[in-house]
Amino acid sequence: MTQLTHSFEVNPAPAVLDEGRLASLHRIVTPHLSDNLHRQEGVVGLKRYNKTGKLVGTALTVKTRPGDNLFIYKAMTLLAKGHVLVVDAGGDLSNACVGEIMKNYLQQRGCAGLIVDGAIRDVAAFENDSFPCFARGNVHRGPYKDGPGAVNVPVSIGGQVINPGDVIVADEDGIVSFPPELVDELIEAGNAHAKKEIKIMSEIATGSMDQSWLQSVLNAKGL
């Protein structure tokens, strides 16, 4: 049941994606997903802070006043294993919204990863861990805890609208999000894309100057 008081809104957490589909998405790189989403979907402008590890999960969203983490605290109490905590902090870098203590709590709850369109701090703790973290930037100044905010509402992250329940896949190339009803279609398309590229790589390895994948594109454009 929605709890709404002035500018305070808390909605129920979305159901997480099943383990089988999560495992399938772990094997697909974000460029292959992006290419099959018309190359228009996806978050831009955020930095990956973890050196290893891939992020795959279901978005649990937070809209917060820049530099304030009261509603991030509330969202953390709603997390289930497989959720990705997605925070719209307005892209502001004046005050960090998340640090090492919150990271440790998220990991204990089985959180799949963290995305913050805003700032984090305690950078070394993120860089020396495999826990997936993407953020706009970092700063030493800590957060306020006053609100207002909202949990599990549509948010804007790096130019992409992310809804609670959307599927998130993120790796060293970036972040892609999409509605859960597209999962099966994208898994099939992503696997087919990978097989196509393997075939191209094999052709390149022959050393032949005549490459069918290259020439087909040029022929189609009259070149």
Side-chain angles (χ1 to χ4, degrees):
M1 183 176 185
T2 300
Q3 174 186 333
L4 181 60
T5 307
H6 302 298
S7 297
F8 290 21
E9 182 177 347
V10 178
N11 295 300
V16 297
L17 198 63
D18 65 89
E19 292 291 338
R21 289 180 173 86
L22 287 173
S24 294
L25 288 170
H26 264 285
R27 295 189 289 269
I28 302 174
V29 296
T30 55
H32 291 176
L33 294 171
S34 179
D35 283 357
N36 286 285
L37 286 165
H38 310 292
R39 304 181 179 182
Q40 294 179 323
E41 304 293 326
V43 174
V44 295
L46 271 61
K47 175 184 175 182
R48 182 190 189 217
Y49 280 86
N50 54 299
K51 301 300 184 184
T52 61
K54 183 167 182 173
L55 193 166
V56 181
T58 300
L60 190 154
T61 64
V62 184
K63 172 69 176 175
T64 184
R65 181 172 70 93
D68 192 290
N69 71 1
L70 177 63
F71 276 77
I72 302 176
Y73 270 41
K74 179 60 180 178
M76 292 196 304
T77 69
L78 304 177
L79 277 167
K81 182 180 179 182
H83 278 136
V84 180
L85 186 60
V86 180
V87 180
D88 178 359
D92 184 77
L93 301 180
S94 299
N95 294 81
C97 293
V98 181
E100 183 178 9
I101 289 174
M102 295 169 74
K103 177 187 82 72
N104 289 349
Y105 179 84
L106 292 172
Q107 287 177 283
Q108 281 218 335
R109 292 295 298 268
C111 182
L114 172 67
I115 296 173
V116 183
D117 199 342
I120 63 165
R121 65 177 182 177
D122 304 324
V123 170
F126 289 94
E127 290 183 338
N128 295 321
D129 201 340
S130 61
F131 179 70
C133 175
F134 292 76
R136 176 73 58 181
N138 56 272
V139 67
H140 57 83
R141 288 191 292 263
Y144 301 98
K145 291 176 170 60
D146 302 314
V151 178
N152 290 319
V153 296
V155 295
S156 177
I157 307 291
Q160 174 78 45
V161 174
I162 297 180
N163 293 296
D166 279 355
V167 178
I168 307 289
V169 181
D171 56 23
E172 58 274 13
D173 283 305
I175 304 166
V176 175
S177 70
F178 47 88
E181 55 265 27
L182 295 181
V183 169
D184 291 337
E185 177 184 341
L186 284 171
I187 289 173
E188 182 178 355
N191 289 335
H193 201 118
K195 289 178 182 178
K196 177 183 175 182
E197 290 201 353
I198 289 171
K199 184 178 179 181
I200 290 172
M201 295 298 187
S202 297
E203 187 176 356
I204 292 171
T206 67
S208 172
M209 288 292 293
D210 184 17
Q211 297 281 316
S212 63
W213 60 275
L214 176 62
Q215 201 58 48
S216 65
V217 173
L218 296 176
N219 289 344
K221 298 299 182 180
L223 297 174

